[in-house]
Amino acid sequence: MLRVKAPAVAALVLFALAWFLPVEADLAKLSDGALPGYQAFLVALGPATWHEFRELDLITIRELLMAMSALSNLLMLYTLALVLAWPRLHLPTPYRLSWQLWAAFALNVQWVWPRGGEYLDLRAGYWLWCASFALAAIAVRHLERRRAHTAAEQVVPERRHHAPPLRA
């Protein structure tokens, strides 16, 4: 049981730690009285929430990716609750949750690419945050395999007795 949950516990530790460590050089630090992870969350979500929807004023792809990246934290919280509560509590599991987490990981890595020709000076909080998504995907994959194995064991084996002869 502990072996199955080890990646999830590691993901939880990394995810929680990432909220307290600096995310980007220009953002505030914990010593400034701000929670760096929360500030990064607000920065990522900001452009989509400040956007005024008028005529052809559409959200850019970059703003959409930023908002989706911020909202991936909700997927992570649900996933960690799902894996850490298993098997005592069975929460509904989305189909192929491990694939969704790998997609969220890929989405979150997009912060590495330059914005307007400049690279962000990403710090430890960002890298730990990304790594937590990969570890959560591994933990969920272990859980998916374990559930599939358990379901396969519960299948009633085919009876090998000969059927009685048919009467004419």
Side-chain angles (χ1 to χ4, degrees):
M1 182 67 64
L2 184 60
R3 190 174 68 105
V4 173
K5 290 188 178 187
V9 171
L12 176 65
V13 169
L14 291 181
F15 186 73
L17 189 60
W19 286 81
F20 293 95
L21 294 175
V23 176
E24 206 264 328
D26 293 335
L27 294 178
K29 296 170 183 50
L30 196 58
S31 61
D32 300 332
L35 188 61
Y38 180 69
Q39 186 183 22
F41 174 78
L42 292 178
V43 166
L45 200 55
T49 56
W50 301 330
H51 204 76
E52 297 176 13
F53 295 100
R54 285 181 269 149
E55 298 177 12
L56 297 176
D57 190 20
L58 301 175
I59 290 180
T60 65
I61 299 275
R62 176 68 72 187
E63 291 170 343
L64 183 63
L65 289 174
M66 289 171 64
M68 289 171 55
S69 179
L71 294 175
S72 69
N73 288 300
L74 299 176
L75 176 67
M76 174 61 96
L77 291 173
Y78 180 78
T79 299
L80 291 174
L82 175 96
V83 174
L84 294 174
W86 182 83
R88 293 181 311 278
L89 182 64
H90 292 283
L91 299 170
T93 307
Y95 182 70
R96 296 289 186 197
L97 181 59
S98 59
W99 290 6
Q100 294 173 26
L101 286 163
W102 282 117
F105 171 75
L107 173 71
N108 293 332
V109 171
Q110 60 93 18
W111 289 94
V112 173
W113 282 280
R115 292 170 175 13
E118 294 183 21
Y119 287 92
L120 294 175
D121 188 8
L122 299 171
R123 301 296 169 111
Y126 168 78
W127 297 110
L128 292 178
W129 178 69
C130 282
S132 70
F133 279 86
L135 278 173
I138 292 168
V140 168
R141 186 66 189 135
H142 282 293
L143 182 60
E144 288 171 345
R145 285 183 180 169
R146 191 170 190 96
R147 284 185 178 172
H149 180 68
T150 305
E153 287 178 352
Q154 293 176 353
V155 173
V156 177
E158 181 179 300
R159 294 188 179 180
R160 300 196 186 267
H161 300 289
H162 295 288
L166 296 174
R167 296 183 190 190

